[in-house]
Amino acid sequence: MAYQTITTETRGPIGLITLNRPKVLNALNTELIGELCAAVDGYEADPKIGCMVITGSDKAFAAGADIKEMSDLTYIEAFSQNFGATLERIGKARKPIVAAVAGYCLGGGAELAMQCDIIIAAETAKFGQPEITLGIMPGMGGTQRLPRAIGKAKAMDMILTGRMMDAAEADSSGLVSRVVPAGDLLEEAIKVAEKIADHSLPIVMLAKESVNRSFETTLSEGVQVERRLFHSMFATGDQKEGMAAFLAKRSPQFRNR
Ligand code: CAA
């Protein structure tokens, strides 16, 4: 499929999506969000794909929702279109997604990265929710996912002041899983994705679902869900293979079943 605002490429079992509106620092307009969701739909449906990577450019992962497109929006248009809701597709993906972030990762860009499962940051990454400086607040999940990721105090600091956080602070705050030199970002993200894709895809998907449940429910219900999902894994061939391989001191050959 020919996209205008993103590029896609498969690298073995990895679906790589690159945001591609360089003139506006990958600002997320309706077209880009639509194409991004379509690309994720495609990789979700492709049995050869075990993990996705979403990245941007050296200068910007994405500098937020497209301010030009948004500036004349009326309340009734925002409400009728349910503005902001489409991007939730990313967080609902069942296959894992790694965000590889260099440069600006602001507003809707940060909200997109937070819907991915793992954020890997280049040393140049700058995270922020600057919406307050535009007379709005985050509207694609930032007020909900940022405090869950870094706690209330830092999230309030970011959202109410609009300041940016560098990669080191994002790392120490728990927003990102690791920081790497800018030149190594994509290679490192692909390596992480390949490691994930080496495992049994249905088991990876269940593990992702179980971790995500922890953000939606009580501890005891979450532990109960975990236990039920864990029990279900003993119905898979991949559990038998994984444990047989361990006992035979060989590498497992997972078959995603
Ligand atoms: N939307 C539309 N265009 C954007 C944009 C955005 N979010 N961010 C940058 N651009 C455009 C600029 O207008 C500029 O276009 P022109 O060359 O036509 O003037 C181009 O990208 C390059 O940007 P700058 O010249 O500003 O680059 P810089 O290096 O001087 O500054 C920056 C970089 C600090 C990221 C600055 O561009 C900036 O502050 N951008 C806006 C960040 C922002 O406020 N994001 C939140 C958006 S609101 C949101 O996301 C709402 C939500 O939660 C749903």
Side-chain angles (χ1 to χ4, degrees):
M1 184 166 172
Y3 295 118
Q4 305 303 313
T5 60
I6 61 168
T7 63
T8 59
E9 176 189 336
T10 54
R11 295 200 186 178
I14 312 306
L16 172 63
I17 302 171
T18 305
L19 310 182
N20 189 30
R21 295 186 75 211
K23 287 188 182 147
V24 288
L25 306 181
N26 294 331
L28 309 174
N29 65 357
T30 306
E31 186 180 20
L32 186 149
I33 292 172
E35 292 189 345
L36 176 60
C37 293
V40 168
D41 283 344
Y43 287 138
E44 286 257 80
D46 183 344
K48 294 188 291 305
I49 296 299
C51 189
M52 290 171 252
V53 174
I54 300 179
T55 195
S57 68
D58 290 347
K59 182 149 191 212
F61 177 77
D66 191 314
I67 300 168
K68 200 170 176 188
E69 187 185 65
M70 232 179 346
S71 60
D72 291 330
L73 201 65
T74 65
Y75 164 75
I76 204 68
E77 285 165 348
F79 175 75
S80 305
Q81 296 165 18
N82 208 8
F83 184 86
T86 316
L87 199 70
E88 288 292 302
R89 167 70 187 91
I90 309 305
K92 290 193 165 56
R94 298 179 72 212
K95 289 182 182 175
I97 307 182
V98 176
V101 174
Y104 295 111
C105 184
L106 305 175
E111 292 167 302
L112 165 60
M114 287 190 288
Q115 291 200 48
C116 299
D117 302 302
I118 297 173
I119 304 177
I120 300 181
E123 283 163 348
T124 56
K126 284 188 182 349
F127 296 87
Q129 298 287 169
E131 289 89 343
I132 202 86
T133 66
L134 299 167
I136 54 169
M137 68 176 193
M140 293 178 179
T143 66
Q144 304 305 301
R145 290 193 176 91
L146 192 61
R148 282 166 169 81
I150 66 174
K152 176 181 166 180
K154 278 225 181 247
M156 284 289 192
D157 177 353
M158 302 296 296
I159 289 168
L160 300 186
T161 68
R163 78 173 174 90
M164 290 186 211
M165 189 184 249
D166 65 16
E169 188 181 0
D171 193 18
S172 64
S173 306
L175 182 60
V176 306
S177 75
R178 62 186 87 172
V179 178
V180 299
D184 299 344
L185 177 68
L186 192 57
E187 191 190 330
E188 287 295 321
I190 296 275
K191 261 194 232 163
V192 170
E194 282 172 346
K195 185 95 188 143
I196 293 170
D198 265 354
H199 299 136
S200 163
L201 178 58
I203 301 296
V204 164
M205 288 165 69
L206 287 166
K208 168 172 170 163
E209 184 179 328
S210 194
V211 172
N212 278 338
R213 189 59 73 97
S214 73
F215 293 102
E216 306 282 352
T217 191
T218 62
L219 179 62
S220 60
E221 281 175 22
V223 169
Q224 181 73 358
V225 167
E226 177 195 82
R227 198 174 302 125
R228 291 288 175 257
L229 295 178
F230 177 73
H231 294 163
S232 74
M233 291 171 183
F234 289 84
T236 67
D238 284 343
Q239 174 272 322
K240 298 290 175 279
E241 168 60 13
M243 293 193 184
F246 176 82
L247 294 172
K249 301 191 188 300
R250 62 171 173 81
S251 299
Q253 298 293 316
F254 292 123
R255 292 177 171 186
N256 296 341
R257 59 185 198 205

